[in-house]
Amino acid sequence: MAKVPQGVGPKNPQVVVLIGATGDLARRRLLPGLFHLCRTGFIPACRIVGLGLDALDADGFRKLAREALAQFSTRPVADADWTKFAASLDYVPQKVGAAVLKAAVTKAEKALGGDGRRMHYLSVPPNAALSSVRLLAEAELVERAGIIMEKPFGTDLASAVSLNAKLHDVFAEEQIFRIDHFLGKEPAQNILAFRFANGLFEPIWNRNFIDHVQIDVPETLGLDRRAAYYEDIGAYRDMVVTHLFQILGFMAMEPPTALEPAPISEEKNKVFRSMVPIDPRDVVRGQYAGYREEPGVDPESDTETFIALKCHIDNWRWAGVPFFLRTGKKMAEGQRIISIAFREPPKSMFPPGSGVGAQGPDHLTFDLADASKVSLSFYGKRPGPGMRLDKQSLQFAMHETGLMGDVLEAYERLILDAMRGDHTLFTTADGIEQLWRVSQPLLDAPPPVRLYAPGSWGPKSVHQLVAPHAWRLPFEREWRDPNRASA
């Protein structure tokens, strides 16, 4: 087992109260993630108290957890490791109330020696979040505790302000961790390293050298039995406010005074305060053909399953640089990229027909999938007589380093950070409220949805939105496979 670096894990034992412990997210991500963190020693000592609607006892919960690991864990599960983890699990049916929950947590704390901290994870639908918070307050589990909340954090400015106020009635802001799993991914964090650690790129990260930016997150999946949730939320609230804008904040922020939570959060919030309110004329909403026939969907639904928009950051660094964001369900590919297009030279010395400019501007592309990749495209001379130029690229993939085994999955990293009290990768109340404030013009007057075919790249009008530029996806070339022998 690899040695855990100092300072990465929490100093104190942890009691995790997992609310929604029998749900899909808990089975797919949280239980396998907690198992890995405990097995590898990232968490020095841990007890997990599951809380759910299912009428299970502790053994029933252990059986569910073992099945979840067998089905969803990306790593092997040794019998000895499972036996140790299973002994840390307990379960309380939600209907039994606060007193029984408090007793279960007290029992877990005594097993850890009484010097632990509590981490409450609300893996519940948005409409159950506040009732879960009230249950924790009634059970007197607020002290020595943090609370992790899943999106969405409101559905507009008024609901976000109301939600934050009610949360603050029970938990202080520094106790609240609003989770965005996109920011827990290694590639998203690598943006900070790439920007601020390299003298080659830091000086050109501004309007003088960058022409436009694309953040593109198409999905091939459909609703996946989430019609009731999705009908009330839609693509903009589900993906843009809570994911794509957060990535934009990392990409566009000024250098923080220190690589610490407060300075980083403040620089992200400065970006959000500098954003121009979204103009509905700069937005394309789409809905895939057949969405209205899905079970649980209104036959006349106006909910968007696709959204593309142009936004601007009105500050010194980014004035005049458009940011194009796109995401949608049932699209041609599943990708997560940031593509930065650099300005082209003001005048070309190359003869007509040489190919310069024929394949668009030079791009720096970050692939935000779990296997981090970066590509820098440029024009180079084609071998042979004459002056013909072709687009070339320099590419890097994380697995080339041999360190992929050290990468924590997004939820694992974020749970660990929350246990350490590190807010760097989490959203603040001020930040989320400002994003809803920026979004209000679009929410008040959304453009009509346009149909698009499943398996396509969205409505055709997205090309008018990005003109005179072009969408970076689909790529003009594939990522190279470093394991493939060169010709």
Side-chain angles (χ1 to χ4, degrees):
M1 185 184 302
K3 184 178 179 181
V4 177
Q6 284 190 338
V8 172
K11 296 179 180 179
N12 302 97
Q14 302 285 320
V15 174
V16 178
V17 178
L18 182 53
I19 303 179
T22 60
D24 190 61
L25 176 63
R27 291 185 299 107
R28 287 177 178 272
R29 299 290 186 182
L30 305 182
L31 288 169
L34 287 165
F35 171 78
H36 177 66
L37 293 175
C38 293
R39 181 187 69 84
T40 52
F42 280 104
I43 306 175
C46 184
R47 288 288 188 274
I48 299 167
V49 179
L51 185 77
L53 297 176
D54 296 65
L56 300 176
D57 58 11
D59 286 338
F61 183 49
R62 293 183 185 111
K63 181 175 183 293
L64 179 147
R66 187 67 184 89
E67 292 170 351
L69 293 180
Q71 187 173 0
F72 298 114
S73 178
T74 58
R75 307 173 178 97
V77 180
D79 288 342
D81 293 330
W82 162 249
T83 300
K84 184 176 180 180
F85 184 70
S88 73
L89 300 178
D90 197 2
Y91 184 83
V92 176
Q94 191 161 328
K95 64 180 181 180
V96 300
V100 178
L101 175 60
K102 180 181 179 180
V105 172
T106 301
K107 176 184 175 183
E109 290 175 334
K110 287 181 178 178
L112 294 174
D115 187 29
R117 291 190 57 81
R118 303 156 179 164
M119 180 53 62
H120 309 309
Y121 199 119
L122 270 56
S123 178
V124 296
N127 58 8
L130 287 177
S131 62
S132 299
V133 170
R134 288 191 292 269
L135 177 65
L136 293 170
E138 187 180 348
E140 300 177 349
L141 297 176
V142 175
E143 292 184 5
R144 296 180 287 110
I147 181 169
I148 300 176
M149 298 191 64
E150 286 282 340
K151 62 162 188 171
F153 315 115
T155 55
D156 55 18
L157 178 58
S159 62
V161 170
S162 175
L163 174 63
N164 286 328
K166 291 173 181 176
L167 284 173
H168 292 156
D169 286 341
V170 179
F171 289 95
E173 176 65 18
E174 59 267 22
Q175 293 178 281
I176 302 170
F177 297 85
R178 299 169 187 83
I179 196 167
D180 171 16
H181 71 274
F182 270 45
L183 294 188
K185 292 179 178 295
E186 199 77 26
Q189 300 162 55
N190 202 34
I191 295 171
L192 295 180
F194 195 94
R195 280 194 60 187
F196 299 128
N198 293 294
L200 177 62
F201 291 101
E202 191 278 330
I204 64 174
W205 211 269
N206 57 60
R207 59 186 170 81
N208 296 320
F209 298 94
I210 293 176
D211 184 75
H212 67 277
V213 177
Q214 295 180 25
I215 302 176
D216 209 351
V217 187
E219 297 181 296
T220 57
L221 297 175
L223 295 186
D224 193 25
R225 303 188 302 276
R226 297 168 69 218
Y229 165 81
Y230 207 82
E231 267 288 89
D232 291 334
I233 300 298
Y236 184 81
R237 291 177 171 93
D238 185 47
M239 290 293 293
V240 176
V241 176
T242 50
H243 292 325
L244 274 62
F245 280 162
Q246 301 301 323
I247 293 293
L248 184 151
F250 261 27
M251 189 272 157
M253 64 190 278
E254 296 294 324
T257 56
L259 198 65
E260 296 173 356
I264 291 175
S265 291
E266 176 56 21
E267 294 304 334
K268 276 178 57 186
N269 287 345
K270 284 181 183 178
V271 173
F272 301 152
R273 290 195 292 269
S274 298
M275 289 176 65
V276 178
I278 305 300
D279 188 337
R281 294 172 296 182
D282 291 334
V283 177
V284 175
R285 296 170 70 235
Q287 187 184 92
Y288 65 77
Y291 172 77
R292 294 177 181 177
E293 284 75 53
E294 298 266 14
V297 172
D298 184 341
E300 298 181 359
S301 174
D302 189 47
T303 299
E304 79 277 357
T305 62
F306 170 97
I307 190 91
L309 63 141
K310 176 170 63 175
C311 60
H312 296 274
I313 300 171
D314 189 19
N315 63 16
W316 192 270
R317 183 182 292 267
W318 297 112
V321 178
F323 288 74
F324 299 99
L325 281 58
R326 178 173 67 169
T327 186
K329 298 286 188 185
K330 288 198 175 183
M331 297 185 68
E333 295 178 20
Q335 295 274 5
R336 295 171 179 173
I337 71 155
I338 300 175
S339 189
I340 299 160
F342 293 101
R343 294 192 183 279
E344 298 187 70
K347 185 174 176 61
S348 175
M349 58 180 277
F350 297 94
S354 64
V356 67
Q359 297 184 52
D362 299 337
H363 283 84
L364 175 65
T365 302
F366 294 88
D367 186 331
L368 300 183
D370 288 321
S372 177
K373 291 183 284 190
V374 181
S375 172
L376 177 63
S377 70
F378 58 92
Y379 283 99
K381 182 184 177 300
R382 181 187 299 177
M387 182 57 74
R388 289 284 299 165
L389 304 182
D390 285 330
K391 218 42 178 310
Q392 311 292 339
S393 68
L394 299 172
Q395 296 185 5
F396 162 80
M398 180 63 72
H399 63 254
E400 295 173 355
T401 66
L403 298 175
M404 279 299 291
D406 294 340
V407 174
L408 290 177
E409 293 184 355
Y411 280 98
E412 296 170 355
R413 168 63 189 265
L414 292 169
I415 290 171
L416 206 59
D417 282 357
M419 288 179 172
R420 294 169 52 232
D422 186 339
H423 282 81
T424 301
L425 302 177
F426 296 88
T427 306
T428 66
D430 289 345
I432 199 67
E433 289 175 14
Q434 177 59 24
L435 289 175
W436 285 122
R437 195 171 288 113
V438 167
S439 303
Q440 204 59 51
L442 173 61
L443 302 181
D444 289 341
V449 293
R450 302 172 184 270
L451 290 180
Y452 64 96
S456 71
W457 286 101
K460 293 181 179 179
S461 50
V462 297
H463 302 295
Q464 299 168 4
L465 175 71
V466 78
H469 315 295
W471 289 102
R472 184 73 166 142
L473 286 175
F475 284 130
E476 71 272 10
R477 68 179 61 78
E478 294 182 358
W479 291 94
R480 286 195 294 271
D481 182 359
N483 298 317
R484 186 176 60 201
S486 57

